[in-house]
Amino acid sequence: MEQNNFPITNWSEDDRPREKLILKGKSALSDAELIAILIGSGNRNESAVDLSKRILSGVNNNLNALGKLSMASLTEYKGIGEAKAISIIAALELGRRRRTEEAVELVKITSSKAIFELMQPIVGELPHEEFWIIYLNNSNKVLSKSQLSKGGITGTLVDVRIVFKKALELGATALILCHNHPSGTLVPSEADKHITKKLKLAGESLEVKVLDHVIVTENSYFSFVDSGIF
């Protein structure tokens, strides 16, 4: 059977992903070319780059969406076996963790956007709801981030005593509430409003200020303070 594939080994050296990275640097490569380096080879009818382009096309060229694909989903593509799927999953997970580490460098919280940038890599893409507390010193610098609870898609449980026990242990003078909405909605529920009020009142008696409550989704956020309902 005649093959339409033009193997990468037949490309000019400047166009081969690995050589291109060496000669021109990593920023010169497209997403597909970077993935092609990960998988190393394509299939009988596609080069590694063409296969990578097809995989990306399947998630609308969205790397965040690609990072959510399971091994089973990836291995549905002809030419992607278990080893190649693992390479893709591992690489994208490293990228997610790098974003988390970079977010931690935002040491001082100065706005709701800074809260979103700190927490989105942690909870923004989860399929279930998690409630986190960010503990701050009197300069609004992050002392610790702590997962308070982990629940289902519809909600999670919050223990007020645990929140302030850790605050006192850390010597925190303020804290920020944060949880994700897997549904993508940015409208706070009555339960969200209730727990915010409850924690704020508890904090006042202990002289630990609750500065904000931020709801995080994959692409955006809702701040109780910015919205004037805090």
Side-chain angles (χ1 to χ4, degrees), residues 30-104:
S30 67
D31 292 344
E33 288 171 326
L34 289 170
I35 294 170
I37 291 175
L38 288 174
I39 64 176
S41 62
N43 55 46
R44 287 173 57 87
N45 300 309
E46 295 174 301
S47 69
V49 174
D50 289 333
L51 175 55
S52 299
K53 286 179 179 177
R54 188 158 61 87
I55 294 170
L56 283 169
S57 178
V59 291
N60 295 316
N61 296 305
N62 186 308
L63 290 176
N64 284 330
L66 179 60
K68 295 178 183 178
L69 292 185
S70 65
M71 185 179 300
S73 295
L74 286 168
T75 53
E76 287 180 0
Y77 290 92
K78 184 179 179 182
I80 300 296
E82 187 176 279
K84 291 180 180 179
I86 288 172
S87 293
I88 293 172
I89 291 169
L92 289 166
E93 175 61 15
L94 280 173
R96 188 194 67 80
R97 294 184 186 186
R98 180 184 176 186
R99 287 174 59 207
T100 301
E101 290 181 0
E102 288 174 344
V104 171

Side-chain angles (χ1 to χ4, degrees), residues 184-202:
T185 178
L186 288 174
V187 179
S189 66
E190 288 304 313
D192 294 338
K193 295 176 183 177
H194 175 73
I195 193 61
T196 302
K197 183 177 181 180
K198 188 175 181 180
L199 287 167
K200 187 177 180 183
L201 288 173

Side-chain angles (χ1 to χ4, degrees), residues 93-156:
E93 175 61 15
L94 280 173
R96 188 194 67 80
R97 294 184 186 186
R98 180 184 176 186
R99 287 174 59 207
T100 301
E101 290 181 0
E102 288 174 344
V104 171
E105 294 171 8
L106 292 171
V107 186
K108 187 171 184 177
I109 299 297
T110 58
S111 66
S112 56
K113 182 180 179 182
I115 300 168
F116 171 71
E117 290 174 344
L118 179 69
M119 297 303 299
Q120 194 281 336
I122 300 173
V123 301
E125 300 174 13
L126 296 178
H128 58 269
E129 191 169 305
E130 292 188 0
F131 200 105
W132 285 65
I133 307 294
I134 304 170
Y135 295 94
L136 309 172
N137 64 15
N138 56 10
S139 298
N140 286 350
K141 292 185 177 180
V142 177
L143 296 173
S144 176
K145 303 187 304 299
S146 178
Q147 181 198 90
L148 183 63
S149 60
K150 177 179 178 179
I153 290 176
T154 57
T156 187

Side-chain angles (χ1 to χ4, degrees), residues 21 118 229:
L21 188 149
L118 179 69
I229 63 171

